[in-house]
Amino acid sequence: MSVMDEQIARLRAAAEARIGAAADGATLEAARVALLGRRSELTQLLRGVKDLPEAERRVAGDALNRLKTDLAAGLAERERGLALAARPAGAVDLTLPGAPPVPLGSLHPLLVVLEEICDIFHSMGFTREEGPDVELDYYNFTALNFPDDHPARDSQDTFYVSDAVCLRTQTSPAQVRVMERRTPPLSCIVPGRVYRNEATDASHASEFFQIEGFSVDRDVSLADLRATVQQFVDVFFGAGRKIRFRPHYFPFTEPSVEVDMACASCGGSGCAVCGRTGWLEIMGAGMIHPNVFAAAGYAPDAYTGYAFGLGIDRIAMLRWGVDDIRLFYENDLRFLHQFRGAW
Ligand code: DAH
């Protein structure tokens, strides 16, 4: 060991002891001045490097600079230690690393679509109503002009709780429930979950969501229905999408229609998305049947009204190009996270 090496080793040992012994900020500051200040032994040695024989200069310079860096780090470390020790009991330790980020949830894509559709109809004056998921057979079918033993009942495979009670197969029963307690004019929207006892596949689930809409007054016409649906399509899917009414049959409307919207993927010329028809079905609708008014206690010739029912799942699938309804119910976060920020 050279004389210089010995001197550095001695200096390091003494400095470390002094830093370790500093019990408060003032003593530590005094140590810093004594160890690294202009008149410190270390600074003197560094100044002397230039006068050393050339062969020793570089090694001595490196060793002294390393000591200087180490002492500065030791001083800083001791300063942190003293500050931590001086902290009042229970204080938050701001020097600790931050907590791992809390994973944020997001709205389910079906809820996003549900809220958006309700908002659009709200802007047209519709109020939001609710109906029960566990429904009387009477409201689900009879009051909606499904005669007993009529084959139309079979078109909606039903989960029965008892002879008189079922899980609603559609949101339409809310029409009668709302009309029973309110008098026209009324324009309502009823979102809800519906249940059907059928095999599931890419386009069928045993639980899914619908939105029922209806408007009743003295002179409501099919033209009002058309304008309302067009407005909804313009806002939800973008302006300029054509719609068309196709004759259909529902027991609770007369006339009844299915509403189609021009396919955006092919612009109407026909493609795989629309089954080569150029059109996508978006809802069932029609003019409320007089028997439904009668069931609700309205004089059948006093009012007219339209009603429509749309499948939220189907609308969501159309909007985002989802090709399997079951994806909405599997709760696979890899799927659901794609809709973060959609609302
Ligand atoms: N409830 C029908 C269904 O589930 C949908 C529907 C069609 C609702 C026509 C309506 C309507 O209000 O007028 O298939």
Side-chain angles (χ1 to χ4, degrees):
M1 227 191 220
S2 70
V3 179
M4 176 66 92
D5 285 343
E6 272 169 29
Q7 202 171 356
I8 289 176
R10 184 184 40 78
L11 241 182
R12 180 183 288 274
E16 282 171 358
R18 179 156 186 183
I19 292 170
D24 56 45
T27 332
L28 192 65
E29 188 50 32
R32 179 198 315 283
V33 172
L35 297 170
L36 299 178
R38 258 185 302 136
R39 287 207 291 266
S40 67
E41 190 177 350
L42 179 55
T43 306
Q44 302 302 327
L45 285 171
L46 274 163
R47 277 202 195 119
V49 168
K50 63 180 191 317
D51 306 323
L52 290 174
E54 186 159 2
E56 290 169 31
R57 244 183 254 162
R58 178 111 175 254
V59 182
D62 281 354
L64 287 167
N65 274 318
R66 208 172 321 118
L67 178 60
K68 187 173 174 183
T69 320
D70 290 350
L71 293 187
L75 284 161
E77 169 85 27
R78 182 70 188 150
E79 191 174 3
R80 261 198 306 280
L82 289 176
L84 266 185
R87 177 169 69 102
V92 175
D93 181 358
L94 295 175
T95 66
L96 288 176
V102 179
L104 280 185
S106 56
L107 290 190
H108 191 282
L110 292 178
L111 189 54
V112 171
V113 168
L114 185 157
E115 291 299 341
E116 237 178 85
I117 296 175
C118 287
D119 270 4
I120 294 170
F121 283 100
H122 189 216
S123 75
M124 291 192 265
F126 286 69
T127 55
R128 188 157 161 174
E129 302 280 349
E130 277 187 2
D133 288 36
V134 181
E135 184 54 286
L136 291 173
D137 175 272
Y138 169 76
Y139 285 107
N140 197 72
F141 291 121
T142 312
L144 288 171
N145 198 35
F146 286 77
D148 284 344
D149 303 322
H150 190 280
R153 289 194 183 224
D154 297 340
S155 70
Q156 300 184 357
D157 301 306
T158 312
F159 287 112
Y160 276 95
V161 177
S162 68
D163 281 352
V165 179
C166 64
L167 302 185
R168 66 175 168 200
T169 59
Q170 48 187 353
T171 43
S172 305
Q175 289 183 31
V176 181
R177 286 186 174 274
V178 171
M179 285 193 267
E180 277 179 344
R181 58 172 192 263
R182 289 181 52 184
T183 46
L186 49 87
S187 293
C188 303
I189 191 118
V190 189
R193 195 191 287 260
V194 301
Y195 308 83
R196 296 203 189 167
N197 185 7
E198 57 188 11
T200 55
D201 61 28
S203 46
H204 296 91
S206 50
E207 293 179 26
F208 53 100
F209 287 83
Q210 288 188 336
I211 296 188
E212 195 75 14
F214 50 98
S215 184
V216 183
D217 201 351
R218 298 222 176 262
D219 279 311
V220 177
S221 73
L222 209 59
D224 295 320
L225 170 64
R226 201 182 160 102
T228 306
V229 174
Q230 183 71 62
Q231 171 69 10
F232 159 67
V233 168
D234 284 349
V235 177
F236 189 84
F237 287 104
R241 297 283 287 265
K242 276 200 170 140
I243 58 166
R244 73 172 182 186
F245 281 6
R246 242 182 320 108
H248 199 71
Y249 171 76
F250 296 106
F252 38 88
T253 42
E254 181 58 37
S256 301
V257 296
E258 277 191 327
V259 183
D260 294 340
M261 169 181 80
C263 175
S265 299
C266 60
S269 59
C271 67
V273 175
C274 56
R276 323 243 155 252
T277 63
W279 295 94
L280 299 161
E281 185 199 319
I282 53 168
M283 63 176 81
M287 298 305 294
I288 296 173
H289 197 289
N291 288 353
V292 175
F293 284 143
Y298 292 175
D301 47 7
Y303 301 110
T304 56
Y306 63 74
F308 58 86
L310 53 85
I312 296 177
D313 305 67
R314 182 165 167 76
I315 299 286
M317 289 165 83
L318 287 175
R319 158 169 279 190
W320 286 305
V322 175
D323 59 7
D324 193 324
I325 192 173
R326 291 168 293 194
L327 288 166
F328 291 128
Y329 298 93
E330 283 166 355
N331 291 329
D332 184 334
L333 292 179
R334 290 168 304 175
F335 173 73
L336 296 176
H337 281 170
Q338 299 176 70
F339 302 94
R340 275 183 170 165
W343 177 246

